[in-house]
Amino acid sequence: DTAVSQTPKYLVTQMGNDKSIKCEQNLGHDTMYWYKQDSKKFLKIMFSYNNKELIINETVPNRFSPKSPDKAHLNLHINSLELGDSAVYFCASSQDYRGQGLFFGEGSRLTVL
Amino acid sequence: AQSVTQLGSHVSVSEGALVLLRCNYSSSVPPYLFWYVQYPNQGLQLLLKYTTGATLVKGINGFEAEFKKSETSFHLTKPSAHMSDAAEYFCAVTRNTGFQKLVFGTGTRLLVSP
């Protein structure tokens, strides 16, 4: 029974396409996040939602649009994909916005050709 | 703003040897500190965290870390390495108030040889 699940696990697509990654958590947490891990394993926060409200929006191109239909789900839509978007995208959740102990999904590896 | 520096992108130890992974942080406010482990093709798993109270914190799999404010450090140790400890380890920091976001270090790959 996976706590934080992401789909799809792998995405291979062409430049210019639009793609979405879905995330769901069954932990009853209030806060969810999207992190990007680049090819050098560096992890950087992109967005955070608390009870469906956007609370953190880092310097991310506006081609990236998160959506939280309810507090258990946080999806990431990416328009006009570029080569530099290739990375592993991790969804995470925490009990509240204090973020004490994030639970991570297994990641979605996006490859843009 | 917070930041984390992990010294050594790779650390190699023999099975049974002491594991020491270094982490130094920078924070203008009292920090919360974390260590996460990432196995190949998996997400990150919380090993341990320091928020308040005792500065020596124990985590899963026999790991522990000590918060040293004077040295701005939060090094991770394990007395005896096991082959299964081979993974990528990330130190992270966040502030202790308001909306928090974890800032990660660049990671240290732990290699364990027989």
Side-chain angles (χ1 to χ4, degrees):
Chain A
D1 200 21
T2 308
V4 180
S5 58
Q6 300 178 226
T7 54
K9 194 164 182 176
Y10 298 96
L11 264 170
V12 180
T13 189
Q14 300 287 330
M15 269 198 311
N17 284 351
D18 304 338
K19 288 294 176 187
S20 292
I21 307 171
K22 295 181 186 293
C23 179
E24 175 181 5
Q25 55 96 1
N26 62 6
L27 297 166
H29 288 169
D30 286 345
T31 312
M32 295 184 73
Y33 310 79
W34 279 111
Y35 276 82
K36 178 180 180 181
Q37 186 175 46
D38 64 22
S39 57
K40 295 184 179 173
K41 300 277 187 178
F42 183 61
L43 272 156
K44 189 168 172 17
I45 191 168
M46 300 173 70
F47 304 103
S48 176
Y49 273 74
N50 186 63
N51 274 321
K52 304 194 298 176
E53 183 182 342
L54 181 67
I55 57 171
I56 293 173
N57 184 351
E58 290 294 283
T59 310
V60 177
N62 58 15
R63 298 183 294 103
F64 290 78
S65 50
K67 279 193 172 52
S68 182
D70 56 61
K71 74 174 193 176
H73 295 84
L74 179 61
N75 304 323
L76 182 66
H77 188 75
I78 316 170
N79 289 327
S80 304
L81 279 156
E82 300 177 357
L83 292 176
D85 298 332
S86 296
V88 181
Y89 293 85
F90 285 100
C91 178
S93 72
S94 63
Q95 190 166 356
D96 55 37
Y97 62 80
R98 289 172 296 179
Q100 292 187 37
L102 268 59
F103 286 78
F104 282 83
E106 293 199 341
S108 297
R109 182 177 293 275
L110 172 65
T111 303
V112 182
L113 304 174
Chain B
Q2 286 81 34
S3 67
V4 166
T5 302
Q6 289 185 242
L7 292 174
S9 59
H10 292 79
V11 169
S12 295
V13 300
S14 300
E15 195 173 18
L18 171 71
V19 175
L20 171 60
L21 304 182
R22 298 178 187 275
C23 172
N24 288 89
Y25 70 91
S26 172
S27 178
S28 55
V29 297
Y32 288 164
L33 294 156
F34 306 80
W35 275 99
Y36 282 83
V37 60
Q38 185 179 28
Y39 298 101
N41 298 315
Q42 292 189 26
L44 281 77
Q45 181 183 5
L46 180 65
L47 269 180
L48 49 80
K49 64 182 179 183
Y50 167 79
T51 54
T52 57
T55 56
L56 180 64
V57 292
K58 295 184 186 299
I60 61 171
N61 301 339
F63 285 94
E64 61 182 40
E66 186 170 11
F67 169 60
K68 291 187 176 179
K69 185 178 176 182
S70 61
E71 297 176 10
T72 60
S73 69
F74 191 58
H75 302 330
L76 181 71
T77 60
K78 181 173 179 177
S80 176
H82 193 272
M83 296 294 289
S84 60
D85 294 327
E88 192 91 23
Y89 290 80
F90 293 91
C91 183
V93 64
T94 187
R95 60 185 183 180
N96 67 349
T97 58
F99 293 130
Q100 296 175 2
K101 57 179 182 181
L102 280 186
V103 174
F104 285 87
T106 50
T108 298
R109 180 173 292 274
L110 177 65
L111 305 165
V112 183
S113 55

